Amino acid sequence: MVFGIGKKSKSSGASSATGDTSGSKSSLMKKFRGKIKDTLSGSKSKMKSTMKTFKSKTDEKTGTDSETEVEPSEKETSSKSKSSIQTQNSESSIESEESGRSRGRRKRKKMKKTARDFENTDKSGVYHIMIRVIEGRDLPGVNLRVKALVDGRSESTRVSSEKDPRWRQNLSFTLNRTMEKMSDTVLELKLYSENRLMRDKLHGEWTCFLGTILHQPDRAIISKWVALRCPRREDIMNESENVGFLRVSIAIHGNNETPPPMADDDCDEMFSGAQLQLFTLSVRLFRLHALVEPLLYPWGDSKKKHKPHYTVRVTVGDVSAESDATTISWSENMNVVALNREITLPIMWPTVINKIHFALILSKGKKPRRIIARSSILLSSIYVAGEEGFLPTFGPSFVNFYGPQKIPRLKIRRQKHPDKDFPEHRYYCRLLVSVDCFDSPSDETTVTEISRDAHKYAEPFEKYFKY
């Protein structure tokens, strides 16, 4: 009985040990699960706190804590409308800027074109004349070459033995002069047949004023035919007979300008080169009005009987003429000088001359004359080119004369007062003048007296005092 009881006690102890181990494992699992829950809950709380702080900061920046609340759909629509308005404004601003730039470019191009047209033609400059001889047609003779002559200088092409020769060769000249003088320069193209034993034979020629090239678009003619005339000889009666044709390109450009492309395009257009015509420019000088005291008494003594003599010189391009000083008559009030002269000057039309210049000259006996004052009329402002235009017409109207003013110690005053503007020119008088142009040619300048009808016509205009 005793042994049975002892065995039972061992089995009960083993069962108690297994119960203790199982309880310890369950407690450990509970603790581990609790720690995991605590960590997860802590991380969630931390995430919530960070999200709250982030939302508060964003609300402060965007101003969502305002009193008025807007629904999300309204917010989205308002934001879309704002973005569309901004894009439209930006596109319209870009389009306006681009249109403004394009208008500015157009204006600049127009200004460049107008600025290139015959401004400062009385100032000398360097101009390049490019001549491209392309080909010939219906030409007489063999072994032909073309010779170009400008201002006493010559350039020639190579010799071609073909029936219809093709040279395609460039010839160039350089002139240093004013555009007004260059417009009267003659360009000559001559056709020769080369002969080694005898003198080269001249078959035909073509002449043209450079002024006709200056009046062409871009100052150039590109790939056009010109007709050659028989050379002037005593044994040839019909000098106007054509002896063949040349296809050429001619261009004139300055140092700061790019020449147009000299393309050898097939073209049947003819260029005569006879667009310039010789016209007559008539300038009537009536009276000098409102003279200042230095002109009335240039020698400072009004009691002397010596009266000053005044003449007016008119200059158009390289041609000038002046009134006669002996024909001046003074009026009783000593404020008007009657010139009463009509000056006619030859002028090539159309012209590149920019201004009609006037110079008032003082003379006394045998003493040398001196220019006191000057004036001018812008020629481009008194005529309109084209079929619906008109030739130069002006007046009768007044033109004011201005000259230098004597200021004592002008250099010292400028040094002391560099910001002050000192008048260097002063008014001297005004001249009643009229300008007309006639299509009748004249080779010489003439100075004649104005007719009575012209006097009567100009008398009412003396009451006006503005140019």
Side-chain angles (χ1 to χ4, degrees):
M1 292 295 292
V2 176
F3 295 102
I5 295 168
K7 289 179 181 178
K8 287 182 181 179
S9 65
K10 286 181 181 178
S11 63
S12 64
S15 62
S16 63
T18 54
D20 294 332
T21 55
S22 61
S24 63
K25 286 180 181 179
S26 61
S27 62
L28 289 171
M29 289 295 292
K30 288 179 181 179
K31 289 180 181 180
F32 183 72
R33 288 174 182 174
K35 287 181 180 180
I36 289 171
K37 287 181 180 180
D38 293 335
T39 53
L40 289 172
S41 62
S43 62
K44 287 182 180 179
S45 62
K46 287 180 181 179
M47 288 290 291
K48 289 181 181 179
S49 62
T50 53
M51 288 295 291
K52 286 181 181 180
T53 53
F54 181 76
K55 284 183 179 180
S56 62
K57 288 180 180 180
T58 53
D59 292 338
E60 288 176 359
K61 288 181 180 179
T62 56
T64 56
D65 294 331
S66 59
E67 294 178 357
T68 59
E69 293 182 359
V70 184
E71 293 182 1
S73 61
E74 293 179 357
K75 287 182 181 180
E76 290 176 359
T77 54
S78 62
S79 63
K80 288 181 181 179
S81 62
K82 287 181 181 179
S83 62
S84 62
I85 292 168
Q86 288 177 357
T87 53
Q88 289 177 1
N89 291 331
S90 62
E91 289 176 357
S92 61
S93 63
I94 290 167
E95 290 177 357
S96 62
E97 288 178 359
E98 289 178 355
S99 62
R101 289 174 184 174
S102 63
R103 289 174 186 173
R105 288 171 186 170
R106 290 174 186 172
K107 288 182 180 179
R108 287 172 187 171
K109 288 182 180 179
K110 289 181 181 179
M111 288 298 290
K112 284 181 181 178
K113 287 184 180 179
T114 55
R116 190 178 176 179
D117 293 339
F118 314 136
E119 288 188 359
N120 300 323
T121 56
D122 54 347
K123 295 183 180 180
S124 61
V126 179
Y127 295 94
H128 303 280
I129 304 167
M130 296 181 62
I131 305 166
R132 181 171 177 80
V133 183
I134 302 171
E135 62 178 342
R137 184 184 298 175
D138 301 334
L139 300 178
V142 293
N143 298 330
L144 300 175
R145 64 182 177 89
V146 178
K147 186 177 182 180
L149 294 91
V150 176
D151 195 25
R153 289 174 286 176
S154 62
E155 294 285 341
S156 298
T157 63
R158 63 181 178 272
V159 178
S160 177
S161 58
E162 298 177 359
K163 184 179 179 181
D164 292 331
R166 294 185 178 183
W167 290 280
R168 294 182 179 177
Q169 190 172 350
N170 294 335
L171 309 175
S172 61
F173 299 90
T174 302
L175 297 179
N176 188 359
R177 59 184 60 184
T178 62
M179 192 179 290
E180 295 177 356
K181 292 182 179 180
M182 189 175 62
S183 64
D184 297 333
T185 306
V186 178
L187 167 65
E188 296 180 81
L189 295 179
K190 295 185 177 182
L191 179 68
Y192 288 92
S193 62
E194 189 180 28
N195 193 340
R196 295 181 180 179
L197 299 178
M198 300 177 65
R199 192 173 175 180
D200 293 347
K201 184 179 179 181
L202 177 62
H203 292 287
E205 59 184 0
W206 177 79
T207 59
C208 171
F209 284 100
L210 293 181
T212 59
I213 310 299
L214 292 172
H215 282 279
Q216 299 299 317
D218 295 330
R219 300 178 188 169
I221 59 169
I222 305 298
S223 186
K224 293 186 179 180
W225 292 95
V226 296
L228 298 176
R229 305 283 182 178
C230 286
R232 296 181 180 180
R233 295 178 185 173
E234 294 180 357
D235 56 344
I236 298 177
M237 298 299 294
N238 191 8
E239 296 180 355
S240 62
E241 183 182 356
N242 292 338
V243 294
F245 302 92
L246 291 176
R247 190 153 66 95
V248 297
S249 297
I250 305 171
I252 301 174
H253 64 94
N255 278 336
N256 299 326
E257 299 173 351
T258 56
M262 310 287 272
D264 299 341
D265 298 331
D266 292 335
C267 180
D268 295 331
E269 187 177 355
M270 293 290 298
F271 180 74
S272 64
Q275 283 82 1
L276 289 182
Q277 298 179 4
L278 187 61
F279 285 2
T280 301
L281 190 70
S282 174
V283 181
R284 296 185 182 94
L285 309 175
F286 293 98
R287 294 184 182 183
L288 290 171
H289 286 257
L291 280 73
V292 295
E293 290 186 1
L295 293 184
L296 298 175
Y297 312 107
W299 298 286
D301 191 357
S302 60
K303 295 181 181 180
K304 288 185 178 181
K305 297 181 181 180
H306 297 288
K307 295 181 180 179
H309 296 277
Y310 292 104
T311 62
V312 175
R313 180 186 297 166
V314 182
T315 304
V316 180
D318 294 334
V319 184
S320 63
E322 60 184 39
S323 62
D324 195 356
T326 58
T327 60
I328 294 178
S329 61
W330 289 79
S331 62
E332 296 179 357
N333 57 2
M334 297 290 288
N335 286 327
V336 177
V337 179
L339 299 173
N340 299 329
R341 285 294 178 267
E342 181 179 2
I343 299 175
T344 59
L345 304 166
I347 184 172
M348 298 299 295
W349 195 261
T351 183
V352 298
I353 296 173
N354 191 25
K355 294 179 181 179
I356 303 174
H357 297 276
F358 300 92
L360 182 63
I361 302 173
L362 170 66
S363 62
K364 178 187 176 183
K366 297 181 179 180
K367 290 187 176 181
R369 306 185 306 168
R370 60 190 180 95
I371 297 175
I372 298 176
R374 298 179 184 272
S375 183
S376 63
I377 297 175
L378 190 64
L379 193 60
S380 60
S381 64
I382 61 174
Y383 82 93
V384 175
E387 296 180 356
E388 299 180 356
F390 53 87
L391 294 173
T393 53
F394 175 81
S397 184
F398 284 103
V399 175
N400 296 330
F401 279 85
Y402 293 91
Q405 183 178 4
K406 294 182 179 180
I407 301 177
R409 299 178 181 178
L410 180 60
K411 293 183 180 179
I412 299 173
R413 291 188 179 184
R414 281 181 176 175
Q415 291 176 0
K416 290 183 178 180
H417 307 283
D419 299 333
K420 189 176 180 181
D421 294 331
F422 293 95
E424 297 183 13
H425 292 79
R426 62 174 297 181
Y427 165 83
Y428 277 87
C429 62
R430 60 175 178 263
L431 171 66
L432 185 66
V433 64
S434 68
V435 179
D436 290 312
C437 189
F438 307 101
D439 56 359
S440 59
S442 64
D443 296 333
E444 298 179 354
T445 61
T446 60
V447 181
T448 57
E449 189 174 358
I450 295 176
S451 61
R452 292 183 179 179
D453 295 336
H455 270 295
K456 290 181 180 179
Y457 180 73
E459 282 180 358
F461 293 93
E462 293 184 350
K463 298 179 182 179
Y464 300 97
F465 302 103
K466 291 183 180 181
Y467 168 57

